[in-house]
Amino acid sequence: MKNVHELKAKEKKLTEWSYVWHPIERGYNNRTLYVNVGTLEIKEKPVSQQMKEKFVGGKGFGLRLLWDATTPTTKWNDPENEIIISPGPIGGITQYSGAGKSLVVSLSPQTDSVMDSNVGGFFGPFMKFAGFDALEIQGKSDKDIIIYIDAINHKVEIFEDPGFSTDSHILGEELTEYFANDPKEAKNIGIVSTGAAADNSLIGMLNFTFWDVKRKKIRLKQAGRGGIGTVFRDKKIKAIVAKIDGVKPNLNNVADMEKITVPGRDYAKEMAEYDDIQNQMRKKGTANIVNVMSDYDLLPTHNFKFGSHKDAYKIHSDILRDKYFTQGINDACWIGCAMQCAKGVDDFIPKTGPYKGQKVIVDGPEYETAAGLGANLGIFDYDAIIEQNFYCDTYGICTITWGTIVAFLMECYENGIINKEITGGLELNFGNIPAALELLHQCASGEGFGKIAGMGVRKIKQYLIENYNADPNFLNDIAMENKGLEYSQYVSKESLAQQGGYAMTNKGPQHDEAWLIFMDMVNNQIPTFENKADALHWFPMFRTWFGLQGLCKIVWNDIIPPDNKFEKEPHKIPKHVRNYLSVWEGVTGIPMTEEELIRQSERVYNFQRIFNIRRGYGLRKHDAQPYRAAGPVTVEEYESRAERYDGQLKELIGVNPEGKTTEEKIKILRKYREEQYEKLLDAVYERRGWNKNGVPTIEHLKKIGMDLPELIEVVAPLQ
Amino acid sequence: MQITLNNKIEVFPNETLTIKEILELKKFTYPKLIVKLNDVIIEKEDFDSTFVKEGDNLMILHLLAGG
């Protein structure tokens, strides 16, 4: 760690802007903060009533501001591109669990379109308490800078980086010490930063800190998806810091606190009573499902080829609970959250890399990390998974993205598409832990084959086709990306609805829009295309709502009330949906129904779809999926589950598999599955009010109150 | 026995099985389940004493997961 006193002596302020603070009114500041790091302009912008009605907050505000700031041809590294951070009207309350989330929106270096990424930690709520509903950063600096939002003196400052460390786990500690006048103030500081990889790759992510009172250390939560960390460093931002004078019970000045506290207390009671017999989120975090996913053949293994592995027991979640995660400690990433699932590994000692031999705290592994950096790479060793987790975090790399990239490269290596000559000596076989770690270090430093890996799956695929005559058909089948974003860590082959839940997403295949595998594949609750389309309407819209409000999705369905089984639609966890209606009304004073909740999301969801269309994407062809997401690509895959696939040939397609080669059977199954997916697109588009090309109809936009002239201009030629 | 399990025909070699045994055979290890036998909710503490027989309609609903 650098000497903070020496850093302070070198501080050089570039600009300062003062503002008049006023209290939040029912969840809104009614203004946003604009910072141009190129021109050093800082100003506030009013939030109109229409902005609140149409875009609500969070991702909605981010999308609206980004649309207005950019043109259809703006590139991710143009000065016009922005990074917008916004929590939403409910964000920052402490009386209902999971209310510390922010949404980060930008044009992505990976997808060339709109990216959104949700994240916990302190910065979002602190920025809101400082007086702003969103932070909008534009421009490009020519030197490394720190943006400081000082909510005590009501100032925003930009100063030159006096020489802070680069990687987040150290940078966060340095900045906390730098801005805290005494150790008690550490809890009042929220930081956004990234790490070395964001300078040297297209997959950089952002870390948001939270202060762990018990451990007296900073912790890290990630806005991982789509390379927004790379945009951050392209603007030469080293960190953004917000400092407040403390969290008080009602900084949101809500309309009716009882409408929040009553369901909030009830929810906390559910967690206290039932978590231990349900998911054990407080003991295992989201990684509790690693073994469950393996049992249901859903744990991605060897680049999504398989859903389970004989060694999967070695990464059973009990091992994390019993050997790695510190127990009996409040691991909430925002104040007041009863879920407390941000588990951590204390005093972990990396065996490789720049921090080899040092004791560090590792945030996670969460499920996606354990699956992506473990099973998907053929690595069934928690020491290796946790070491990759630590380095991904501090280097500023999304663990989901990195897992899918390395899995793809390993399959390419095992198929001879790349070799030691190309990788610079790395033997990228599945399960090779030293090679996986070395590739990660190379990516962070922008050296060797790590530089290629840091381009992301889509660009690697193009690189291999252009430079090494790789078979484009095979690569397109096994490269687990859609829209330029890497898949998150679930095997979707046996759930048609989840295939749509992944590939029809606005930003790319992330499970935060819909997770329908159990409903579809196991429960058989949504057998018809109409059923699946209904699910692919309600769930993505409901889940979008969390990202408008500053809420965490996990809190909704990772604890189940005991009387849920008597509900008409138990899979929606209706009691918790009713809680959210009450919390919204409690904060804003505006009554809410489930229908209006879905409508709020529909407006923003359709806006994002049209934003994609405006940029030349967002059509049916962009919802295509790699065949690996839908079925067995290789003979090895088919034969590993031959009984299942042969049965489907007979029962679903009416073809007798006997006497046919595996290649012939793969071809027949593929034709069927691809036709099913096209039918799914038709059904879902119709349900969502879109035409056959995936374009929202003008009639639908009028119905949901989103017939804004700028949207009509985009969709009118495509009706 | 032949039963309907989650709206699909399923055949087991046994004449009868408890719900607990069916969960084990199917590797249904997920903890958040709603079990209905012929439309009657079966509580978790009764899984090992409730028998499923020929022709029964068994629903084992897995609630959502995934953040």
Side-chain angles (χ1 to χ4, degrees):
Chain A
M1 227 176 104
K2 301 275 180 71
N3 183 307
V4 166
H5 297 293
E6 289 174 11
L7 293 173
K8 277 189 175 172
K10 292 187 216 166
E11 184 177 305
K12 184 182 172 190
K13 197 183 292 181
L14 299 174
T15 191
E16 177 182 306
W17 174 80
S18 296
Y19 64 96
V20 177
W21 182 85
H22 53 71
I24 297 171
E25 296 171 20
R26 298 186 171 191
Y28 285 100
N29 283 290
N30 296 307
R31 64 177 170 184
T32 60
L33 174 63
Y34 174 87
V35 175
N36 191 310
V37 296
T39 64
L40 301 181
E41 181 188 13
I42 304 175
K43 63 182 178 184
E44 64 180 62
K45 290 182 177 179
V47 171
S48 68
Q49 190 59 31
Q50 191 209 41
M51 181 136 163
K52 289 197 284 188
E53 286 172 5
K54 304 289 188 194
F55 297 94
V56 186
K59 179 163 82 168
F61 276 17
L63 292 169
R64 173 77 265 182
L65 292 168
L66 187 64
W67 176 294
D68 292 341
T70 59
T71 71
T73 57
T74 303
K75 297 297 176 194
W76 71 271
N77 53 358
D78 285 342
E80 291 75 25
N81 188 20
E82 295 193 332
I83 296 171
I84 299 123
I85 302 170
S86 177
I90 297 175
I93 64 166
T94 57
Q95 296 82 9
Y96 196 86
S97 290
K101 288 278 189 172
S102 303
L103 262 287
V104 189
V105 172
S106 188
L107 295 178
S108 162
Q110 290 193 261
T111 69
D112 188 40
S113 199
V114 190
M115 184 56 52
D116 63 272
S117 196
N118 83 80
V119 60
F122 285 180
F123 180 82
F126 285 8
M127 177 195 74
K128 186 173 168 184
F129 299 153
F132 307 100
D133 293 329
L135 168 62
E136 181 186 9
I137 303 170
Q138 197 175 39
K140 288 172 81 162
S141 173
D142 56 3
K143 54 181 88 64
D144 281 354
I145 54 154
I146 312 281
I147 301 170
Y148 177 42
I149 301 171
D150 177 356
I152 297 167
N153 298 300
H154 308 140
K155 290 189 299 187
V156 179
E157 299 173 355
I158 299 176
F159 60 87
E160 270 190 53
D161 171 22
F164 283 106
S165 297
T166 299
D167 293 333
S168 274
H169 79 291
I170 302 176
L171 176 58
E173 296 283 354
E174 288 173 355
L175 284 164
T176 299
E177 190 182 331
Y178 192 96
F179 286 102
N181 293 323
D182 66 68
K184 285 182 183 169
E185 286 190 349
K187 67 181 190 310
N188 297 332
I189 292 166
I191 301 161
V192 184
S193 66
T194 180
D199 280 315
N200 296 308
S201 75
L202 298 180
I203 59 172
M205 63 76 170
L206 294 177
N207 283 302
F208 282 48
T209 63
F210 68 99
W211 178 253
D212 190 320
V213 175
K214 187 89 174 179
R215 293 179 172 95
K216 300 196 185 320
K217 288 176 182 168
I218 62 117
R219 307 279 307 276
L220 303 173
K221 298 299 288 182
Q222 292 75 35
R225 305 314 317 268
I228 302 177
T230 300
V231 181
F232 193 81
R233 287 300 299 143
D234 185 64
K235 294 182 179 299
K236 290 202 175 293
I237 304 167
K238 195 74 171 276
I240 315 170
V241 181
K243 182 177 176 184
I244 62 169
D245 61 359
V247 176
K248 299 173 186 69
N250 191 14
L251 288 174
N252 267 294
N253 285 313
V254 303
D256 184 347
M257 184 59 87
E258 202 171 307
K259 286 192 183 302
I260 306 166
T261 54
V262 171
R265 279 195 296 266
D266 188 62
Y267 183 86
K269 194 162 170 258
E270 288 171 11
M271 273 302 299
E273 290 185 15
Y274 307 116
D275 181 52
D276 219 29
I277 56 170
Q278 292 186 17
N279 287 349
Q280 298 192 9
M281 295 292 283
R282 287 181 176 180
K283 291 180 175 171
K284 299 176 173 180
T286 61
N288 74 85
I289 58 171
V290 171
N291 37 289
V292 175
M293 291 301 107
S294 179
D295 289 344
Y296 289 79
D297 209 24
L298 297 168
L299 180 71
T301 304
H302 293 192
N303 193 31
F304 298 86
K305 274 196 259 187
F306 316 114
S308 58
H309 190 278
K310 65 178 176 54
D311 290 333
Y313 73 92
K314 294 178 182 172
I315 55 169
H316 193 290
S317 59
D318 286 353
I319 299 169
L320 280 175
R321 180 193 61 200
D322 299 338
K323 184 178 173 186
Y324 291 98
F325 286 151
T326 304
Q327 299 297 332
I329 195 164
N330 183 340
D331 278 317
C333 77
W334 177 241
I335 299 158
C337 182
M339 182 65 76
Q340 300 170 18
C341 64
K343 301 306 298 176
V345 180
D346 284 288
D347 296 330
F348 182 78
I349 302 177
K351 299 183 183 77
T352 70
Y355 307 109
K356 177 182 174 180
Q358 298 179 17
K359 278 187 182 175
V360 295
I361 181 170
V362 186
D363 285 273
E366 297 188 29
Y367 165 74
E368 298 285 337
T369 303
L373 304 180
N376 217 9
L377 309 186
I379 292 174
F380 300 93
D381 175 337
Y382 268 127
D383 277 349
I385 292 167
I386 292 167
E387 183 153 344
Q388 293 175 87
N389 185 164
F390 165 71
Y391 275 114
C392 277
D393 286 356
T394 199
Y395 286 155
I397 295 174
C398 169
T399 55
I400 296 174
T401 300
W402 185 248
T404 301
I405 289 171
V406 180
F408 170 66
L409 289 172
M410 284 178 164
E411 187 168 1
C412 287
Y413 188 87
E414 295 212 333
N415 280 279
I417 296 164
I418 56 175
N419 53 37
K420 276 171 72 173
E421 196 178 320
I422 295 169
T423 65
L426 295 177
E427 295 178 348
L428 286 175
N429 297 95
F430 286 113
N432 189 337
I433 294 168
L437 278 161
E438 177 56 26
L439 188 67
L440 179 54
H441 298 312
Q442 287 184 7
C443 177
S445 59
E447 295 166 348
F449 196 62
K451 186 79 182 166
I452 303 302
M455 296 192 303
V457 167
R458 175 168 284 192
K459 290 183 171 64
I460 298 169
K461 185 171 62 173
Q462 291 158 351
Y463 172 83
L464 296 178
I465 292 166
E466 287 166 12
N467 292 283
Y468 298 105
N469 287 322
D471 175 2
N473 292 329
F474 182 64
L475 287 199
N476 284 329
D477 282 350
I478 67 163
M480 289 296 284
E481 61 87 10
N482 150 276
K483 301 182 175 74
L485 189 71
E486 290 76 12
Y487 271 70
S488 70
Q489 308 297 334
Y490 297 97
V491 171
S492 55
K493 287 188 179 93
E494 301 309 315
S495 169
L496 181 61
Q498 186 57 32
Q499 291 168 33
Y502 266 140
M504 297 174 73
T505 45
N506 271 325
K507 71 172 175 232
Q510 165 83 352
H511 55 285
D512 60 355
E513 276 198 16
W515 199 95
L516 301 172
I517 300 180
F518 281 165
M519 278 184 79
D520 191 27
M521 181 185 104
V522 183
N523 300 344
N524 197 26
Q525 276 176 288
I526 45 176
T528 67
F529 287 105
E530 192 181 9
N531 297 150
K532 292 183 205 305
D534 278 339
L536 279 167
H537 178 255
W538 194 88
F539 285 97
M541 297 312 145
F542 184 65
R543 284 173 169 242
T544 292
W545 194 76
F546 292 90
L548 309 182
Q549 305 296 345
L551 289 167
C552 173
K553 286 179 278 291
I554 286 172
V555 168
W556 160 49
N557 66 357
D558 268 306
I559 192 77
I560 307 294
D563 51 358
N564 186 63
K565 53 183 171 281
F566 302 114
E567 298 274 7
K568 190 179 169 195
E569 297 181 295
H571 46 285
K572 293 181 178 176
I573 325 296
K575 182 182 173 187
H576 291 174
V577 175
R578 291 191 290 273
N579 284 355
Y580 288 117
L581 303 182
S582 179
V583 169
W584 162 272
E585 186 174 348
V587 172
T588 65
I590 303 166
M592 174 62 78
T593 63
E594 185 183 322
E595 292 71 28
E596 177 55 22
L597 181 158
I598 296 295
R599 186 52 54 85
Q600 280 191 332
S601 294
E602 269 190 299
R603 294 188 189 109
V604 175
Y605 196 91
N606 279 272
F607 184 84
Q608 190 169 0
R609 181 80 176 182
I610 297 168
F611 202 155
N612 281 336
I613 296 170
R614 180 200 196 209
R615 293 190 57 78
Y617 306 101
L619 303 177
R620 187 182 186 110
K621 64 184 176 185
H622 303 108
D623 291 338
Q625 59 179 338
Y627 187 62
R628 174 63 58 77
V633 173
T634 64
V635 169
E636 178 193 21
E637 276 169 274
Y638 189 101
E639 292 183 348
S640 74
R641 276 109 179 114
E643 188 181 350
R644 174 193 299 164
Y645 296 135
D646 282 353
Q648 291 176 0
L649 287 180
K650 277 190 277 192
E651 291 160 22
L652 299 177
I653 312 175
V655 169
N656 184 354
E658 283 179 28
K660 290 188 169 50
T661 66
T662 301
E663 287 85 352
E664 288 169 335
K665 290 190 286 188
I666 288 173
K667 199 173 170 186
I668 295 165
L669 190 65
R670 178 172 186 148
K671 182 171 181 292
Y672 171 77
R673 290 193 176 201
E674 289 180 338
E675 286 170 356
Q676 295 289 105
Y677 185 68
E678 292 302 318
K679 288 176 186 172
L680 180 75
L681 290 182
D682 286 339
V684 176
Y685 288 168
E686 186 179 353
R687 178 64 185 85
R688 290 183 180 178
W690 301 352
N691 68 19
K692 293 270 188 193
N693 198 19
V695 178
T697 65
I698 292 172
E699 184 188 359
H700 182 65
L701 293 176
K702 284 180 180 168
K703 185 179 154 193
I704 64 173
M706 282 303 271
D707 50 334
L708 307 175
E710 65 270 32
L711 302 187
I712 300 297
E713 185 185 340
V714 173
V715 301
L718 297 164
Q719 293 296 296
Chain B
M1 67 174 176
Q2 178 175 301
I3 66 169
T4 302
L5 175 59
N6 289 353
N7 298 320
K8 286 180 182 170
I9 300 296
E10 190 98 20
V11 178
F12 295 93
N14 318 57
E15 282 188 16
T16 183
L17 288 165
T18 65
I19 287 171
K20 184 168 180 278
E21 288 167 335
I22 290 176
L23 291 174
E24 286 167 358
L25 283 169
K26 295 296 293 179
K27 286 184 79 176
F28 283 172
T29 57
Y30 189 60
K32 297 188 304 190
L33 302 174
I34 297 175
V35 176
K36 288 184 184 179
L37 182 60
N38 300 321
D39 281 333
V40 176
I41 289 173
I42 308 297
E43 299 293 344
K44 192 174 183 178
E45 55 267 30
D46 297 325
F47 285 177
D48 59 355
S49 60
T50 303
F51 287 86
V52 180
K53 59 184 189 312
E54 176 77 21
D56 278 348
N57 183 5
L58 181 63
M59 292 292 291
I60 302 176
L61 292 182
H62 293 58
L63 295 173
L64 293 170

